[in-house]
Amino acid sequence: MKLINKISLWFLFILLVVTPVTMTISQWGIKRKMIEFEVKRLQSVNDRIYHLLEQGRPVDDFIKDREIEIATVRGPVPKENPQVIKRLNNVEGMSEKEVALFVISYRPVNGVVYKVTSHNYFINPNEFFSSMFITLLWKMLLVSVAFFISARILSRTLFKPFKSTMEAIRHFNIRQKQKLQLGRSSTKEFNELNCFIETMTNKAMEEYATAREFSENASHELQTPLAVLRTKTELLTQTSLNSQQAGLIEHMQTEVNKLSNITKSLVLLARLENHEFNTREKIRFCRIAKNVIETYSYWADLKNITVTRNTDSRVFIQIHPTLADILVANLMRNAIRYNEENGSVHVELTTDYFRISNTGDPVTIPHKDLFRRFKKGSQKNEGVGLGLAIVKQICEVCNFRISYAYVEHRHIFCVYFNENYLSEIDVIPSNAAFQTVVFAEA
Amino acid sequence: MKILIVEDNIALSASIRDYLEAEHFICECAFGVDEAREKLSVFTYDFILLDMMLPDGDGLEVLRFIKTEKIVSNVLIISARDALDDKINGLEGGADDYITKPFHLPELHARLRAMYRRNSLQGSHIVTANEIELNTNTIEARVNSVLLDITPKEFDLLLYFVVNKDRVLSRQAIATHLWGDYTDNLANFDFIYQHIKNLRKKIAAANGNDYIETVYGLGYRFKL
């Protein structure tokens, strides 16, 4: 719900509660004032009569058309003086009622206590209620309408800075070197918000730059000595060597190679964590899969592994092409490396998932450790144990999920593109005893 | 051919110089942007090997200098940065090729040769070694003028050998040259052996000499 609608509803609620209360109060006030005034008037009439009586002048002239009774009372003056009596009468031929107000005064005049009663009729103040109620409804309606309209007009100007801030945040990209610049508004809260967001994004950008710089420097600082080592051993191979020396050099070269691979993989992981790969384009995934599989077919042939492929060519996935390549290549490499002689690899691609399965012996480490860094299924292998960690990280960057299962002598890696699909699948069928599906956890 | 090596790491630049001098290149070394600019404004070079991170600036500055001074040289960037952006920046800045550290010296040499063929020998794309003749344009290999039926990978391998003749090439260097990043973490280099076996067979079938010799424990050498 929009903020302005929330405010409007709240206002309407207040209006609905407060207005009837104020109406009741004002009606009560009017009623009291009317009666008070009438009592005072009748009292003054009574006083006038007493005045005439005291002077011994005839009161008839004054009474004339007024409904005033004068009587004498025996005994003392009653304590309650003057007495006010109200009576509701029906007005003939009308549904409304009128109020008959009697004011009875007692006063001794020349030793005799006179009782003067004057009365008057007026409209019952409660009868005002209906007209006041209608006025009230009109008033509430007009106020509400005026409020809703003006609030909408006002909110457009009032919330303008807020909206522009939101827009700026939406377009903010930490990879761009441009700092977030937010305008100043006359509203204090928005200024505070803008300041806060600016400092926050600046800090994030600084940290991002540091992280990026670190991975760049680390890469440079590690790769250069490796390059020196590698070139020096290569120069050494050009000299005359005996077989023992040659063996030693080859060992060194293998280790330099491994180090270089680890460095590259770690830098790639760092860059993935920094979200340096970004693309809005959708690529034809099967094309990448096909290329990678073709590249690896040579290695597959060496182990006499059959590679079968069932890829849907209409699958478009939003992923950086380099990452797609690395993703498929790493999975493919694993499928060949941990395969057996005369084994098989099957690659499947649908709009919902990309699945690579291969024959091979079960892994010796817990399945959930497979995606962790430097965890290898088998120590005798030459891999550095970063391939699957990279796959997992790529999946995280692209909002995919990856699972591993070992079923019926096959390793099955499945990358799910579609979160909805994942919730309704039966990942691996059959043989519950061997069914261990592991998802890479963040 | 004259080469300017712009690299701040003395050990690395010495290695490159040693290797390339053995290939009869004339090498000069510069260790910073200013020194490189100085040398470039006085001498002419056929190739420039350019490191991107230099103590007194960025390799891109040297690239800009080459462009503004209209210096005709082939530029090969050597960099530790392998991000796609860096490669694009370098190539758009006027470099001809890009190689990431740590590289193999034979690979560097092969790239220099390839650049030379591309840019300097207009029309002529023939590389020869005795009876072996390689046309880098059509990717055709002939032995005694007989066309060999070889795959592009085998052609690449043979060219790599010919370019780096008389040098020991390690299995890793060959693998990296042929498959690049796909060889990372591969269990063994048996496939190199397979490839070379096939190549030998095909050359022998065309009555060619077997110039490829196995150097025990190290790799292979193409010996004329």
Side-chain angles (χ1 to χ4, degrees), chain A residues 219-220 223-224 227 230-232 234 238 246 250 253-254 257 261 271 296 298-299 302 325 333 337 382, chain B residues 9 11 15 53 80 83 101-105 167-168 171-172 179 182 184-187 191 194-195 217:
Chain A
S219 147
H220 180 254
Q223 302 288 24
T224 306
R230 181 176 272 177
T231 52
K232 293 293 178 204
E234 260 163 8
Q238 310 305 331
E250 196 184 27
Q253 286 181 331
T254 316
N257 228 24
N261 286 337
R271 294 180 59 210
Y296 280 98
Y298 187 79
W299 287 286
L302 283 177
D325 200 84
R333 192 153 48 216
R337 189 190 295 151
E382 298 276 320
Chain B
N9 188 299
S15 297
M53 285 164 125
K101 289 180 192 171
F103 48 82
H104 293 277
L105 286 171
R167 306 233 145 243
V168 176
R171 278 176 283 266
Q172 289 155 11
W179 279 285
Y182 289 104
D184 287 2
N185 313 337
L186 263 176
F191 55 95
Q194 282 287 336
H195 252 26

Side-chain angles (χ1 to χ4, degrees), chain A residues 191-241:
Chain A
N191 271 344
E192 273 172 18
L193 180 75
N194 285 0
C195 277
F196 176 69
I197 288 171
E198 272 177 7
T199 36
M200 209 171 68
T201 50
N202 285 350
K203 210 173 166 194
M205 276 174 78
E206 265 167 39
E207 268 166 25
Y208 178 77
T210 324
R212 200 185 159 138
E213 200 185 32
F214 173 77
S215 63
E216 271 171 11
N217 287 345
S219 147
H220 180 254
E221 296 307 324
L222 291 167
Q223 302 288 24
T224 306
L226 282 173
V228 174
L229 257 181
R230 181 176 272 177
T231 52
K232 293 293 178 204
T233 55
E234 260 163 8
L235 286 176
L236 202 53
T237 59
Q238 310 305 331
T239 60
S240 63
L241 300 164

Side-chain angles (χ1 to χ4, degrees), chain A residues 88-360:
Chain A
L88 282 177
N89 294 334
N90 280 319
V91 181
E92 276 174 41
M94 282 171 78
S95 59
E96 284 89 358
K97 286 185 172 171
E98 59 174 9
V99 177
L101 191 72
F102 293 86
V103 176
I104 306 161
S105 314
Y106 299 90
R107 200 187 285 180
V109 177
N110 304 328
V112 183
V113 177
Y114 283 91
K115 172 193 178 192
V116 176
T117 309
S118 58
H119 72 274
N120 199 5
Y121 298 94
F122 56 92
I123 301 171
N124 180 7
N126 287 347
E127 297 296 338
F128 296 156
F129 187 78
S130 60
S131 69
M132 279 178 84
F133 186 72
I134 290 162
T135 321
L136 172 88
L137 286 182
W138 274 108
K139 189 173 152 189
M140 286 205 315
L141 188 76
L142 285 174
V143 170
S144 310
V145 168
F147 179 80
F148 270 81
I149 292 171
S150 59
R152 251 147 204 76
I153 295 167
L154 196 66
S155 85
R156 237 172 253 167
T157 49
L158 211 59
F159 281 103
K160 207 174 173 186
F162 182 71
K163 274 186 182 157
S164 65
T165 302
M166 295 251 288
E167 198 63 16
I169 295 171
R170 196 173 296 145
H171 291 294
F172 175 69
N173 185 351
I174 201 159
R175 275 170 290 279
Q176 285 168 353
K177 288 193 176 102
Q178 214 163 10
K179 279 190 176 178
L180 190 67
Q181 285 288 348
L182 300 170
R184 289 280 166 268
S185 84
S186 50
T187 317
K188 189 173 166 249
E189 284 83 354
F190 289 153
N191 271 344
E192 273 172 18
L193 180 75
N194 285 0
C195 277
F196 176 69
I197 288 171
E198 272 177 7
T199 36
M200 209 171 68
T201 50
N202 285 350
K203 210 173 166 194
M205 276 174 78
E206 265 167 39
E207 268 166 25
Y208 178 77
T210 324
R212 200 185 159 138
E213 200 185 32
F214 173 77
S215 63
E216 271 171 11
N217 287 345
S219 147
H220 180 254
E221 296 307 324
L222 291 167
Q223 302 288 24
T224 306
L226 282 173
V228 174
L229 257 181
R230 181 176 272 177
T231 52
K232 293 293 178 204
T233 55
E234 260 163 8
L235 286 176
L236 202 53
T237 59
Q238 310 305 331
T239 60
S240 63
L241 300 164
N242 63 37
S243 66
Q244 195 196 359
Q245 289 164 328
L248 290 173
I249 290 175
E250 196 184 27
H251 243 110
M252 280 162 67
Q253 286 181 331
T254 316
E255 294 308 308
V256 169
N257 228 24
K258 216 186 247 180
L259 258 179
S260 155
N261 286 337
I262 292 173
T263 318
K264 266 194 219 162
S265 300
L266 286 176
V267 169
L268 176 68
L269 276 169
R271 294 180 59 210
L272 281 169
E273 276 169 10
N274 290 347
H275 293 268
E276 280 180 43
F277 298 92
N278 190 26
T279 179
R280 294 216 169 91
E281 278 170 61
K282 292 199 162 187
I283 59 157
R284 206 184 268 271
F285 202 81
C286 85
R287 212 170 271 171
I288 297 221
K290 207 177 128 201
N291 280 344
V292 174
I293 291 165
E294 268 167 20
T295 314
Y296 280 98
S297 64
Y298 187 79
W299 287 286
D301 287 347
L302 283 177
K303 271 174 120 174
N304 206 10
I305 294 166
T306 24
V307 180
T308 47
R309 189 159 64 87
N310 180 17
T311 50
D312 189 342
S313 60
R314 289 156 302 174
V315 179
F316 288 88
I317 304 292
Q318 189 176 324
I319 183 173
H320 195 285
T322 313
L323 295 190
D325 200 84
I326 297 169
L327 178 79
V328 180
N330 282 6
L331 288 174
M332 195 67 199
R333 192 153 48 216
N334 266 352
I336 293 170
R337 189 190 295 151
Y338 296 100
N339 217 318
E340 54 200 17
E341 292 278 330
N342 307 317
S344 71
V345 175
H346 183 64
V347 182
E348 209 182 330
L349 174 70
T350 70
T351 44
D352 297 313
Y353 61 82
F354 174 73
R355 182 188 289 168
I356 286 188
S357 70
N358 66 279
T359 49

Side-chain angles (χ1 to χ4, degrees), chain A residues 45 48-49 52 58-70 119:
Chain A
V45 171
R48 178 85 185 163
I49 295 202
L52 290 174
V59 292
D60 296 359
D61 283 351
F62 186 71
I63 295 170
K64 256 188 182 166
D65 302 327
R66 290 170 213 255
E67 291 163 340
I68 296 172
E69 284 170 33
I70 301 169
H119 72 274

Side-chain angles (χ1 to χ4, degrees), chain B residues 78-116:
Chain B
I78 16 172
S79 175
R81 284 187 268 178
D82 65 345
L84 194 65
D85 293 349
D86 297 325
K87 286 184 186 171
I88 290 167
N89 279 344
L91 294 176
E92 279 184 349
D96 298 88
D97 204 354
Y98 197 106
I99 189 168
T100 50
K101 289 180 192 171
F103 48 82
H104 293 277
L105 286 171
E107 177 70 25
L108 179 75
H109 181 214
R111 298 264 192 123
L112 284 174
R113 288 283 178 194
M115 260 166 43
Y116 177 65

